[in-house]
Amino acid sequence: MVANSGGRGVRAVALALGACSVLALSACADTQGGGAGGGGGKGVPAGATIEQYKAAFADVEPIKLTTQSPSPKGSVTGKNVEDYLKAVTEWSGGKITFEVTYSNGVAPPAEVDDALVDGRLDIGQVLPIYEPSEYPANAALIQASFVSNQTPIAGTLQSNAWPNEVAFKTPEITEEFEKKGIKLMVPYYDSGANVMFCRKPRRDLASLKGVQTASGGQAQNTELTALGAAPASVPYTEQFESLQRGVVDCTVSSFTVGVLGGFVKVAPNVTIDPAAGFALAPGGMAINQQTWDGLPLVARQLLWDRLDVFLSSNIEGKIWPNIAQAVSEAKAAGGSVGPFSDDARKAMTAANTRMLNDLRTKAKVDDPGAFVTNIQSAADRWLKEAQAVGPKETVAHADFDKWYKSGKVDVDRYIQQVYQQIFLPHRPS
C-alpha cells in the first residue's frame, strides 16, 4: 500500500516499500501480494459499484497524488480534469486525494512529460505534438487527426474515440512514453475541431496568401502552406498578445483554446469547413510509471475505471460549452463562423490527402500501411457510433450557440461504448 501525507507520489512509493530500491521497485512491489507489476492487494470486478469500491478501500492507507490543471480552478476548460479527480476521490471513499496546482503552475504544457519523469507530477496531461522527434509514432497519429468529421456533435464524439483505439493497437505509441517511465492512461483526447481565427475575414486563397498564422504542429504547417499562408510558431499562452499586436493575423486553434486564451474577440472571423478539417493538437493523460506500479491494485483499477468521467466531461463539460461560448463571442465582436471558399477547400483537401498517403510509407511504426488502414476503419466505425447517439437534426458550428444546451445528447451512452470497447481490455487485473 502507498501512504502519502503530502509529498510526491514517487516518494510515497519509496516510503511505502521501505527497503525496496528504485531499481528493484517492481519486483519488491510484487512481494506485497497481488497483481502483476503493481503494489498488490485485492481488486474489484469490472463494473463495480461505488459501494463495492468504498468497501475495497476500507483497509487501504491514504494516497495523495500530485497533478495540475491547465486552467484556473472552476474553469470550463479544466472541467474534465476536475471532474475526474473528484470522481476518483468520491469512489475511493476519500482514500485517494489530489494535490492540484492550477493554470499549469507546476510545468508548462510542453514540459509535462519531464515533470512526470522527475516526480514533480504524478498525473498530468502530456502533449507529444510539441516534441514530434521524441514521439514520432504519436506524431503520426496526430498528423492523421484531420480524418475526423468536422461537425460539432458527431465529429466531436468520433474524434475522441477512434484515435484511442488506434493507439492501443499500435505498440509504438505507448512504448514511446514507457521508455521514459510514463504510462499512458488516455493516449488521445482533444479540445474539439481546430478552426482558423482571423482578425479579418480570410476564407479564400487570395486573402490567405502570405498571412502570418500561428500553427500548432507540423501537419498544420503543411495545411497552412497549401493555403498560401505563412505558418508561425506561437504557444497558445501567447496567442492573445500576438493577435492583438498584429504579430500574427490568424491562428489555428480549437474553440476551447480560443476561450481559454481570450483571443476570440480580437480574431472573431472563424473558418471551419465540414469537408476540409485541420489536424488537431490533442493531448494525452499519463501517470508516472513508478507511481502507478506502486499503487494497490484497487487504486489502479479505480483510476482506470473513472476514465469514463474524464472522457465524458471532456466533451459535454468542456468542448461543447466552449464551442457555444466562442461562437457567441465571435458574433458579438462583429465576426462570423463559416466554411472555406471553394479554392481554399480544394487546396486543404489535396494537402490532407497527400499527408495521409505519406503516412502509408513514412509513419514511424512497424507497418505504416496497416496503421493508416486502421485509422480509416476506426474513424468510420466510430462515426457511425456517434451518429447513432446524436440528435436527428444536424447543426452547424455557426448555429451552435443558439442550439446547444447541456444534456441534449446522450454522451454517457456513447462513452460507455468507448470505455467497454477501447479501455476495458486494458484494465488492471
Side-chain angles (χ1 to χ4, degrees):
M1 292 184 288
V2 182
N4 187 342
S5 59
R8 302 292 187 233
V10 175
R11 294 203 305 270
V13 173
L15 289 170
L17 297 177
C20 294
S21 69
V22 172
L23 292 176
L25 182 61
S26 294
C28 187
D30 284 344
T31 68
Q32 303 298 308
K42 295 181 179 180
V44 296
T49 65
I50 188 171
E51 290 78 15
Q52 288 175 297
Y53 259 116
K54 287 181 176 180
F57 271 95
D59 297 325
V60 173
E61 293 295 320
I63 299 165
K64 180 178 283 188
L65 301 172
T66 58
T67 189
Q68 68 178 24
S69 170
S71 61
K73 186 175 183 179
S75 167
V76 169
T77 302
K79 187 169 174 57
N80 54 348
V81 174
E82 293 187 33
D83 285 353
Y84 173 71
L85 304 182
K86 180 180 178 181
V88 170
T89 297
E90 181 182 3
W91 280 62
S92 69
K95 290 297 183 72
I96 300 179
T97 57
F98 298 89
E99 180 182 333
V100 187
T101 302
Y102 296 91
S103 300
N104 292 322
V106 174
E111 299 176 15
V112 172
D113 56 343
D114 296 328
L116 289 170
V117 172
D118 64 31
R120 283 175 288 159
L121 291 171
D122 291 316
I123 298 177
Q125 284 68 54
V126 291
L127 293 166
I129 193 171
Y130 286 124
E131 300 171 295
S133 61
E134 289 192 37
Y135 303 101
N138 282 268
L141 180 65
I142 293 169
Q143 183 173 328
S145 57
F146 59 78
V147 306
S148 292
N149 186 275
Q150 299 300 303
T151 55
I153 301 299
T156 297
L157 295 171
Q158 174 205 24
S159 72
N160 281 276
W162 72 259
N164 286 304
E165 178 179 308
V166 174
F168 282 125
K169 289 182 176 179
T170 309
E172 294 89 346
I173 288 176
T174 53
E175 288 171 357
E176 287 175 349
F177 283 95
E178 289 170 359
K179 291 175 182 177
K180 293 175 176 285
I182 301 171
K183 178 179 178 61
L184 276 177
M185 300 174 71
V186 179
Y188 181 110
Y189 70 95
D190 62 49
S191 295
N194 270 346
V195 305
M196 180 177 280
F197 295 90
C198 292
R199 287 154 49 96
K200 300 178 181 179
R202 298 183 185 275
R203 293 196 174 118
D204 60 9
L205 293 182
S207 64
L208 288 164
K209 186 176 181 179
V211 173
Q212 290 286 320
T213 304
S215 172
Q218 294 176 335
Q220 288 180 18
N221 290 348
T222 299
E223 292 163 334
L224 288 170
T225 300
L227 292 171
S233 179
V234 181
Y236 80 78
T237 51
E238 300 175 14
Q239 290 191 16
F240 175 85
E241 184 177 4
S242 296
L243 286 161
Q244 187 181 48
R245 297 174 59 188
V247 176
V248 296
D249 192 73
C250 301
T251 180
V252 176
S253 301
S254 67
F255 288 106
T256 295
V257 171
V259 171
L260 177 63
F263 57 72
V264 180
K265 61 184 178 182
V266 296
N269 299 286
V270 182
T271 301
I272 178 167
D273 196 286
F278 283 100
L280 304 185
M285 185 159 70
I287 186 169
N288 175 283
Q289 186 72 57
Q290 289 185 341
T291 298
W292 177 261
D293 290 343
L295 291 171
L297 176 59
V298 68
R300 285 180 282 129
Q301 289 177 329
L302 179 57
L303 288 167
W304 198 263
D305 283 347
R306 292 290 71 77
L307 292 177
D308 60 350
V309 173
F310 179 84
L311 294 167
S312 178
S313 182
N314 184 59
I315 295 170
E316 188 168 38
K318 184 187 80 174
I319 295 175
W320 287 339
N322 277 327
I323 293 175
Q325 181 175 339
V327 171
S328 178
E329 289 180 3
K331 292 176 180 178
S336 63
V337 180
F340 282 118
S341 297
D342 290 343
D343 59 350
R345 181 182 305 113
K346 183 177 179 180
M348 272 282 288
T349 301
N352 286 344
T353 299
R354 288 193 298 271
M355 283 196 292
L356 201 60
N357 288 338
D358 284 346
L359 285 176
R360 290 189 181 278
T361 58
K362 298 178 182 178
K364 301 298 183 181
V365 296
D366 183 57
D367 189 339
F371 175 68
V372 173
T373 298
N374 286 340
I375 286 171
Q376 293 175 313
S377 62
D380 289 344
R381 182 168 58 258
W382 283 104
L383 177 58
K384 292 177 182 177
E385 295 282 0
Q387 291 171 334
V389 302
K392 299 300 181 183
E393 72 270 32
T394 58
V395 57
H397 283 88
D399 304 315
F400 199 74
D401 57 329
K402 304 296 184 183
W403 179 90
Y404 176 72
K405 65 179 180 179
S406 180
K408 201 164 186 177
V409 182
D410 190 356
V411 176
D412 289 342
R413 174 185 162 195
Y414 180 79
I415 291 302
Q416 286 308 307
Q417 292 175 344
V418 172
Y419 180 82
Q420 291 171 12
Q421 295 182 37
I422 300 175
F423 289 88
L424 183 59
H426 305 280
R427 183 178 189 263
S429 61

